[in-house]
Amino acid sequence: MASLTRVLTGAARAQLNITRQNIEDLRPLFGMPLVALVALGLLVHSGKTDLVHYALVAAVLMTIGQMGNFVASEIVFQERNEQTLELVVSSPAPYHLVLLARVLVLTSLGLVGALEAWLIARLCFGLSVPIYHPGLALLTLLATSVAAAGTALLTTALFALGTQVRTFQNAINGPLYLLGGVLVPVTFLPVWLQPVSPFVFFYWSANLLRAAFSPGEPEQVARGLGAILLLGVGTGLLGKLALSRMLDNLRRSGGLGLT
Amino acid sequence: MNALRVFRQGLVVGYRDFRDFWSLKSWVFGWMLRISTNAVAWVLLGRVIGSQARLEYLLVGNAIAAGPAAALWASNATTWARYDGTHPLLVIAPTSLIPAVMGRTSIWLFNGLMTATVTFVLLALAFGYQPAGSGAPLVPLVVLVVCASTYFFALFMGALLSNRSRWRNMALDIAGSFLLAFCGVSVPVSFWPAWVQSLVALLPVSHGLQAARVLLEGGPWGEAWRALLLELLVGAGWLVLGLFTMDRLFNGGRADGSIELS
């Protein structure tokens, strides 16, 4: 147990140091505020200030999503390029645990997006957006960053495999946000698309977060949080499997080696 | 004549760059899927707001803006010769470097044009949008002008970033988001504070988008031509600034010895 904690905290600390020296890792935190600004501007301009929480929910979920898909998913690819993969793999610590801690740090940094969006609403538009259920909002955000980390564990393994798969990286965010109802609730999607949405963790996250901004009693909280965590753990386990396969293949084919 | 030949060779390299990113299949099911789903989400927000006029405003804005957002990739492409190690070879070649750079990067202008066209058709079909204006057939020309002026802006950005290429992705993200946020894509430019409006007037996209909206809505032709002319002027301004900056930086590199084969 002590060694597990040491591996996780060591890897998390290493990721924080890497990110501190590479501001590119924080790209989503610089780009996403502008998404919040546009969505808020659109709703305010349309006189729909009762819906401004839609903009906040979209901004924070997209920031977490971008941190997972565009930053955390690059880790294995970068480690292969910089030949640090060989060093980590040859250490006695399980590679998937090292990666898990690193992706979790990055997706958790996406939570800063919530603060940014809230500040934009307050400072740029003078809007005070009440959070009626702060506990629910906090739990949902934490569960979402865990689910995003699970997904990133899978995608970081897949994206390291080849350029065609990296094309997939550019493609998935749009459909995931749309199907997950990140900006617009899925009830506005065509009926035939809606059954797919519950398989996307963003769907549950967006619903719970919007409920946290509504005065009414939120419904099916445990079910929603459970679904987010279940989808996150499920993809995380698939990621562990994909990583093991990738490393086995690299070992067998002599693909690991320092030059 | 020589410059044209160099431009053509640059375009061949640009095409190879493009194919490194996309095959026909991955362009359709990867790139276009991302762009169109993103645009659909914004248009649907118009439905949430409950206004058909707002929905159409978002549809036109997001469909056309998909083009300049794609053309902006040229700023990244401007820096790639540094990574390939071919920049010093281009510098010592007995011809100007500019047609080679423009040839290689202009492939992203064509990508912008295709992206906007396909997005517009997809959104129009999905939401049953039918433009009322008789000037609608001229909109592809406006889209070309908007993509071109953004491409010229991207050349300027790329020139500035050529010595600071580690910032290229960050700059692309921020510039792209800024254009989409303030240039009248989802919210009219007049909504933003006066200083933002003044800044936007000097940037690509907003004038052209205004021209396209007037043509699609059947507004006065004079207003459409005036907006289109402004977009052309803005584009020409960025082109001159981009070429000037490129020339200065490349000559500066020659003078201070920062260009070397490694």
Side-chain angles (χ1 to χ4, degrees):
Chain A
M1 193 61 196
S3 66
L4 174 72
T5 314
R6 213 164 41 240
V7 168
L8 290 175
T9 52
R13 223 177 13 248
Q15 182 58 53
L16 280 173
N17 282 332
I18 292 168
T19 299
R20 215 171 22 225
Q21 285 163 29
N22 181 21
I23 199 159
E24 280 259 310
D25 278 2
L26 302 177
R27 271 166 64 197
L29 299 185
F30 291 96
M32 279 305 115
L34 286 166
V35 173
L37 201 65
V38 185
L40 282 166
L42 175 58
L43 292 163
V44 170
H45 184 249
S46 309
K48 291 281 178 185
T49 44
D50 55 320
L51 294 180
V52 289
H53 60 284
Y54 279 36
L56 303 191
V57 169
V60 64
L61 289 182
M62 284 185 189
T63 312
I64 295 173
Q66 304 286 81
M67 286 299 289
N69 189 43
F70 284 105
V71 185
S73 300
E74 290 287 323
I75 293 178
V76 177
F77 179 76
Q78 278 173 358
E79 290 216 311
R80 285 199 73 185
N81 272 357
E82 291 160 13
Q83 294 203 332
T84 47
L85 180 67
E86 284 77 359
L87 303 175
V88 186
V89 167
S90 62
S91 77
Y95 185 50
H96 64 272
L97 284 183
V98 174
L99 262 185
L100 177 66
R102 292 185 60 185
V103 296
L104 199 53
V105 164
L106 290 170
T107 55
S108 302
L109 283 172
L111 295 174
V112 176
L115 183 67
E116 284 179 312
W118 188 84
L119 280 175
I120 286 172
R122 189 94 189 100
L123 300 177
C124 297
F125 297 97
L127 292 168
S128 169
V129 191
I131 307 176
Y132 292 98
H133 307 284
L136 173 61
L138 187 67
L139 280 177
T140 306
L141 287 174
L142 290 176
T144 303
S145 52
V146 169
T151 308
L153 207 56
L154 174 63
T155 48
T156 193
L158 293 178
F159 294 165
L161 295 177
T163 52
Q164 280 302 310
V165 192
R166 284 174 64 77
T167 304
F168 182 66
Q169 177 185 24
N170 266 297
I172 55 171
N173 261 22
L176 281 186
Y177 293 156
L178 184 67
L179 287 172
V182 164
L183 183 62
V184 173
V186 296
T187 47
F188 287 88
L189 292 180
V191 177
W192 56 269
L193 259 181
Q194 293 179 20
V196 186
S197 295
F199 296 100
V200 179
F201 73 85
F202 284 127
Y203 164 80
W204 302 96
S205 305
N207 280 346
L208 287 180
L209 281 178
R210 279 194 282 264
F213 284 102
S214 305
E217 200 54 40
E219 290 172 9
Q220 299 186 320
V221 171
R223 186 170 174 230
L225 288 172
I228 299 171
L229 290 172
L230 193 69
L231 287 165
V233 170
T235 45
L237 287 174
L238 281 177
K240 179 177 181 289
L241 193 70
L243 277 170
S244 309
R245 284 263 173 98
M246 183 190 82
L247 291 179
D248 285 350
N249 281 340
L250 284 174
R251 286 191 178 106
R252 247 197 310 272
S253 62
L256 287 171
L258 294 166
T259 52
Chain B
M1 210 56 204
N2 191 33
L4 253 182
R5 205 162 53 234
V6 174
F7 179 89
R8 208 170 53 234
Q9 293 299 330
L11 193 57
V12 172
V13 178
Y15 178 72
R16 295 308 318 166
D17 288 339
F18 185 81
R19 292 306 300 260
D20 278 348
F21 277 89
W22 311 110
S23 62
L24 180 64
K25 199 167 77 179
S26 65
W27 189 83
V28 173
F29 297 104
W31 172 252
M32 279 316 302
L33 188 67
R34 171 190 169 189
I35 299 296
S36 54
T37 47
N38 183 48
V40 164
W42 282 98
V43 180
L44 281 175
L45 200 51
R47 194 164 279 170
V48 175
I49 290 165
S51 151
Q52 182 63 20
R54 180 65 68 181
L55 185 146
E56 289 183 4
Y57 188 92
L58 287 164
L59 187 150
V60 171
N62 282 280
I64 294 180
L72 207 58
W73 275 41
S75 82
N76 261 15
T78 307
T79 66
W80 289 341
R82 299 260 177 181
Y83 287 92
D84 300 340
T86 50
H87 182 70
L89 301 176
L90 290 172
V91 170
I92 59 171
T95 183
S96 166
L97 191 138
I98 287 169
V101 171
M102 287 187 71
R104 181 174 185 178
T105 54
S106 57
I107 196 77
W108 301 103
L109 162 62
F110 299 123
N111 186 38
L113 190 60
M114 286 302 297
T115 302
T117 308
V118 175
T119 310
F120 196 100
V121 172
L122 284 177
L123 291 184
L125 289 173
F127 291 92
Y129 172 69
Q130 285 183 328
S134 58
L138 289 174
V139 169
L141 173 74
V142 179
V143 174
L144 175 64
V145 173
V146 174
C147 288
S149 64
T150 311
Y151 166 69
F152 297 146
F153 175 71
L155 279 183
F156 169 71
M157 272 178 62
L160 280 186
L161 290 164
S162 64
N163 285 335
R164 310 165 185 85
S165 52
R166 65 186 286 257
W167 294 96
R168 68 193 190 286
N169 291 324
M170 180 86 84
L172 179 64
D173 278 2
I174 293 175
S177 303
F178 190 90
L179 290 179
L180 294 177
F182 298 113
C183 290
V185 176
S186 300
V187 187
V189 178
S190 57
F191 172 75
W192 302 111
W195 66 270
V196 176
Q197 293 181 41
S198 310
L199 187 64
V200 163
L202 300 173
L203 291 174
V205 181
S206 65
H207 302 295
L209 201 48
Q210 175 62 16
R213 289 191 195 282
V214 173
L215 289 172
L216 289 166
E217 288 162 11
W221 284 87
E223 194 188 334
W225 289 124
R226 198 182 67 86
L228 188 61
L229 188 68
L230 278 173
E231 184 74 30
L232 278 167
L233 278 175
V234 166
W238 286 111
L239 176 64
V240 171
L241 208 57
L243 296 183
F244 176 74
T245 313
M246 235 184 259
D247 206 44
R248 271 200 70 124
L249 282 172
F250 296 154
N251 282 328
R254 262 195 287 258
D256 65 18
S258 64
I259 298 168
E260 56 183 26
L261 287 164
S262 56

